[in-house]
Amino acid sequence: MVNLLSKTYADYVVNGLKRCEALKTDKDSNVCYFNISAFDLDFLLSENSDLLKQSEKVMDSLCEYMDSFISVFLVNKDGYILKERKCGGYSPDAGINLPLGGRFNEKFNGNTSISTSVIENKPICLTGEEHYCDCYHNYTTMSAPIKSQDEVVGVLSAIGLKENASRYALGVLAGYARTITVGYEAEKINKAIAEKHKCESAIVETLTDGVLTVDKDGFVTFMNQVGAEILCVDRESSIGRHISNVVDFKPVVLDVLKTGKGYIDKEFLLTNTAGNKIHFIKTAVPIKDENGNIVTVVDTFRKIKRVNKLLNEMTGAYANFSFEDIIGTSSKLQECINTAKAAASSLSNILITGESGTGKELIAHSIHNCSERRKQPFVSINCGAIPRELLESELFGYEPGSFTGASTKGRVGKFELADGGTIFLDEIGEMPVDMQVKLLRVIQDRKITRIGGNNVFDLDVRIIAATNKNLLELCKKGMFREDLYYRINVLHVNLPPLRERKEDIHELIHHFINKINNYLHKNVRDISTGAMKKIMSYSWPGNIRELENTIERAVNLCSGEVITESEIFNDGWITNTSVPAEVSSAAASETVSEKDIEPLEVMEKRAIEKALLVSGGNITITANLLQVTRNTIYNKMKKYNLEV
């Protein structure tokens, strides 16, 4: 046991000796011990590569000042030797062997300045018998910690014969350790900055928007790859050049440098030197220093087509059906489908005609999904469902504040949203004549101008129109423009009414039963022979829509698994009781008094109510029954407070 009372030791020495006593360290141990594999040694050196890098030149310089010592060496916080340099005091007879991977540990070779410096977190010098093990009694060890955020990550150490080692060398050693600490910290910060920059760059590169930054003088300091592709420039050669020399149009970001005011989601229509128009949505944010001076501007931008595509995806502006979804194998239907498929491969405009409820919209969806534009927008608008005063703004859009009630941000029209894809103009026969003139101009020029705007936008839109009216008859009556008719009727698809393809009814009924079972949670499996005869004997003026309505009513009423004849009925089968001829004749001969006359508005209201009842609330059928337009029905319903 060491006699701690024989000499006066510093506290850190006493504490070190006591630790060795507690660990029962062998006093005859070697200077260091080696028990690491080649694989673990490689991993150890790799793990501490930054520490080794910073100590390289420092240790070479340190040896010049520590020439009286045997060697200086770098140790990690766990006591493993990472690097050693022989000094002027070295000789083969010194008896000191410090191999790479050798370890200082108080359990195996007692207290040293290395272990004590790590524990005490300060420079330490131990001489002679201040070491626990006998092998150190002729030597002096000095160590100074290398820190990162005040935690010891390694130790710079030296060993020499105690008669040759000066305690003043500890200050030199601590200074060099501090140099390594500063370099190590700087390298760590640089790596963190580089990692952060790499992460931020990766984030920017994953954006679908173009991003560029310019300094206060307008020189490009950054541009992501998407931005380079949108602007059609080379990314690498653009950085460092003035923005006006990068793009071939007037850069609007320069206005932000002049005014100091940015903007968010602002629309720009720019024209390059070749006369081509570039349509952007842009956001520019100026970055200012503490004095309010602009140091950089961050400019993000995307093409309007990308914006419109996102809007169309969110609003469901895509075709939902294909030709495979069409039910029926009759020759007339197949002839119609073949014509539609042929039309799908063309870029010409298409007119789809057929009675109400025959599936004109389904054919329009299928044509789009079978065309080369299938991945582009499919925008549908019902020309008869929108009041005439709003139809123009819906079709062509408007600039902010163009008319009373207009949005302060303006609005994109359906034609712009459909750019690159297809626009479906349903019930085009209901379109007011004045709107037909504007539509004709758009079809001819392939350009539009928003209401209240001056910018002219190029369009690439395929038009599919549909109607249940005889447009040629409307042309003769002056209700539809003949020139527009020939523009939209390049390719013609005529859908047969259900009464002309009754062989498809059985297949349609089973399709509707399965569909309705799913959402009504019913278990109807078939339809009786009597019910089927009743269905086949009916002319179905409402076509497939009326058939589906009838089957849904039957499924609701059906209490078993088979629809019976009693469950098959609709408003079209309701017959009026016949009036006896003599009563009719007598009534005709009677004199009509004033009290028998009803006001026109009362008669009109009653007629609309009856038509709504017969049509099942379908506005189009109601309008056809009363031989008026859908807009008239809507206006009258509002006037008489009628609800569907």
Side-chain angles (χ1 to χ4, degrees):
M1 176 179 287
V2 177
N3 185 0
L4 299 177
L5 300 177
S6 61
K7 290 185 179 181
T8 302
Y9 292 118
D11 289 343
Y12 60 82
V13 176
V14 173
N15 292 335
L17 296 174
K18 285 181 177 180
R19 288 194 299 272
C20 294
E21 290 282 3
L23 292 168
K24 297 181 180 180
T25 303
D26 185 359
K27 290 177 64 67
D28 296 327
S29 297
N30 295 323
V31 172
C32 73
Y33 75 100
F34 184 86
N35 68 340
I36 190 171
S37 67
F39 176 82
D40 289 337
L41 177 59
D42 288 340
F43 179 78
L44 176 71
L45 297 176
S46 174
E47 190 179 36
N48 292 274
S49 58
D50 291 342
L51 199 57
L52 286 163
K53 179 181 176 182
Q54 297 302 320
S55 67
E56 187 72 35
K57 294 181 180 179
V58 171
M59 290 182 66
D60 291 339
S61 175
L62 180 61
C63 281
E64 297 178 10
Y65 291 96
M66 308 284 284
D67 59 345
S68 62
F69 283 76
I70 296 172
S71 66
V72 294
F73 48 96
L74 179 69
V75 181
N76 78 345
K77 64 180 180 179
D78 297 319
Y80 286 100
I81 299 172
L82 303 175
K83 183 182 291 188
E84 185 212 12
R85 289 287 187 271
K86 301 290 191 298
C87 298
Y90 172 78
S91 71
D93 301 327
I96 297 295
N97 182 28
L98 302 174
L100 287 184
R103 190 179 185 189
F104 297 94
N105 184 285
E106 290 187 345
K107 180 175 177 58
F108 298 104
N109 46 21
N111 65 321
T112 59
S113 65
I114 296 98
S115 62
T116 308
S117 182
V118 172
I119 294 170
E120 298 289 338
N121 196 5
K122 63 181 181 181
I124 295 292
C125 175
L126 296 184
T127 299
E129 293 181 357
E130 291 178 338
H131 299 91
Y132 183 82
C133 292
D134 295 340
C135 62
Y136 286 104
H137 287 178
N138 293 325
Y139 301 98
T140 292
T141 60
M142 292 183 181
S143 298
I146 300 167
K147 303 178 185 180
S148 175
Q149 296 180 346
D150 208 36
E151 288 187 7
V152 176
V153 294
V155 176
L156 186 61
S157 302
I159 187 169
L161 293 170
K162 63 181 181 180
E163 61 269 20
N164 296 334
S166 170
R167 283 184 175 268
Y168 296 110
L170 182 61
V172 176
L173 191 71
Y176 275 90
R178 178 61 183 162
T179 301
I180 296 175
T181 294
V182 171
Y184 182 82
E185 282 281 74
E187 181 70 15
K188 187 176 179 181
I189 292 171
N190 288 338
K191 279 194 171 184
I193 292 173
E195 192 67 27
K196 183 180 179 183
H197 176 72
K198 185 178 179 181
C199 181
E200 290 173 347
S201 296
I203 292 172
V204 172
E205 290 300 333
T206 60
L207 296 177
T208 55
D209 291 2
V211 179
L212 68 83
T213 59
V214 296
D215 63 17
K216 61 183 179 62
D217 298 316
F219 287 89
V220 178
T221 55
F222 174 81
M223 181 186 297
N224 69 348
Q225 187 58 39
V226 174
E229 291 171 1
I230 292 175
L231 298 175
C232 300
V233 298
D234 180 70
R235 176 185 180 183
E236 298 301 327
S237 62
S238 298
I239 295 175
R241 297 170 60 196
H242 196 273
I243 184 64
S244 59
N245 295 325
V246 173
V247 296
D248 58 351
F249 52 83
K250 182 183 177 182
V252 291
V253 72
L254 295 180
D255 295 334
V256 179
L257 292 173
K258 290 180 181 178
T259 63
K261 296 180 180 179
Y263 44 79
I264 297 175
D265 292 339
K266 190 173 180 180
E267 187 177 10
F268 291 93
L269 184 64
L270 308 173
T271 305
N272 61 18
T273 54
N276 299 319
K277 292 179 179 178
I278 308 172
H279 199 175
F280 286 130
I281 293 291
K282 289 167 59 68
T283 294
V285 180
I287 308 299
K288 301 179 181 180
D289 60 19
E290 62 275 10
N291 298 319
N293 300 316
I294 294 178
V295 293
T296 190
V297 175
V298 180
D299 189 23
T300 60
F301 48 94
R302 62 175 66 176
K303 282 190 173 181
I304 196 70
K305 280 191 176 182
R306 171 68 180 166
V307 178
N308 290 344
K309 183 180 180 183
L310 293 173
L311 181 59
N312 287 329
E313 288 175 354
M314 292 177 66
T315 56
Y318 44 83
N320 299 309
F321 306 105
S322 64
F323 287 115
E324 288 71 24
D325 297 314
I326 299 174
I327 307 297
T329 56
S330 64
S331 58
K332 284 196 173 184
L333 179 64
Q334 291 305 312
E335 182 182 345
C336 170
I337 291 175
N338 291 337
T339 302
K341 286 182 177 179
S345 61
S346 170
L347 296 177
S348 299
N349 297 330
I350 302 171
L351 177 63
I352 304 172
T353 58
E355 295 178 7
S356 179
T358 51
K360 295 184 290 296
E361 186 170 359
L362 180 61
I363 288 290
H365 281 246
S366 302
I367 289 173
H368 176 79
N369 272 334
C370 190
S371 71
E372 293 182 355
R373 297 178 178 239
R374 66 180 67 90
K375 294 183 179 179
Q376 301 304 320
F378 178 86
V379 179
S380 177
I381 183 168
N382 191 315
C383 302
I386 300 172
R388 60 181 299 159
E389 60 270 16
L390 297 179
L391 186 57
E392 183 178 2
S393 63
E394 282 290 321
L395 286 174
F396 309 129
Y398 59 86
E399 297 293 342
S402 300
F403 52 87
T404 303
S407 169
T408 55
K409 294 184 178 180
R411 181 168 295 177
V412 176
K414 299 293 187 184
F415 269 94
E416 280 187 73
L417 290 176
D419 191 28
T422 302
I423 187 166
F424 176 50
L425 302 176
D426 198 8
E427 296 193 33
I428 195 169
E430 304 284 354
M431 182 177 286
V433 176
D434 58 331
M435 275 302 304
Q436 295 176 25
V437 177
K438 296 173 182 178
L439 176 61
L440 178 64
R441 184 65 179 267
V442 170
I443 295 175
Q444 289 175 336
D445 298 344
R446 297 288 172 176
K447 300 176 186 294
I448 65 162
T449 303
R450 295 177 188 167
I451 298 174
N454 297 315
N455 290 323
V456 179
F457 301 96
D458 296 327
L459 281 181
D460 174 23
V461 177
R462 202 259 185 94
I463 296 174
I464 301 177
T467 183
N468 60 358
K469 296 184 179 298
N470 187 328
L471 294 186
L472 272 178
E473 287 297 321
L474 293 180
C475 289
K476 293 176 183 178
K477 295 177 182 178
M479 298 173 65
F480 200 86
R481 291 184 63 92
E482 191 172 354
D483 46 5
L484 177 60
Y485 172 75
Y486 290 115
R487 282 288 184 181
I488 61 174
N489 191 26
V490 178
L491 296 170
H492 186 198
V493 178
N494 183 52
L495 280 168
L498 188 57
R499 62 182 174 274
E500 294 181 7
R501 58 181 188 105
K502 284 191 173 182
E503 58 266 47
D504 293 331
I505 288 180
H506 193 274
E507 187 177 355
L508 284 166
I509 288 173
H510 283 279
H511 169 74
F512 292 142
I513 288 175
N514 292 332
K515 173 184 172 183
I516 296 164
N517 275 337
N518 286 334
Y519 69 80
L520 291 182
H521 305 293
K522 301 279 284 187
N523 193 33
V524 177
R525 299 187 180 278
D526 207 347
I527 183 169
S528 69
T529 304
M532 197 66 195
K533 285 182 179 179
K534 189 174 182 179
I535 288 173
M536 296 300 287
S537 66
Y538 184 57
S539 61
W540 298 105
N543 293 291
I544 298 171
R545 187 181 292 118
E546 184 183 5
L547 176 63
E548 183 176 9
N549 176 273
T550 301
I551 297 302
E552 183 171 355
R553 181 184 288 126
V555 172
N556 271 285
L557 297 176
C558 183
S559 57
E561 294 185 353
V562 178
I563 296 172
T564 62
E565 186 176 356
S566 63
E567 291 149 356
I568 294 294
F569 67 91
N570 66 24
D571 298 326
W573 285 319
I574 298 175
T575 58
N576 295 321
T577 304
S578 59
V579 181
E582 62 271 23
V583 175
S584 177
S585 177
S589 63
E590 289 179 1
T591 303
V592 179
S593 64
E594 286 185 9
K595 65 180 181 181
D596 295 321
I597 299 174
E598 290 182 317
L600 283 175
E601 289 188 347
V602 174
M603 296 173 64
E604 186 179 63
K605 179 181 178 182
R606 186 181 296 123
I608 295 172
E609 287 175 333
K610 286 183 179 179
L612 286 170
L613 181 63
V614 170
S615 70
N618 186 294
I619 301 300
T620 301
I621 296 176
T622 300
N624 290 337
L625 290 172
L626 296 175
Q627 297 184 6
V628 294
T629 65
R630 287 169 52 95
N631 285 344
T632 299
I633 296 298
Y634 281 118
N635 292 333
K636 296 295 182 181
M637 288 177 67
K638 183 177 180 182
K639 177 180 178 180
Y640 298 128
N641 292 321
L642 298 177
E643 294 183 357
V644 177

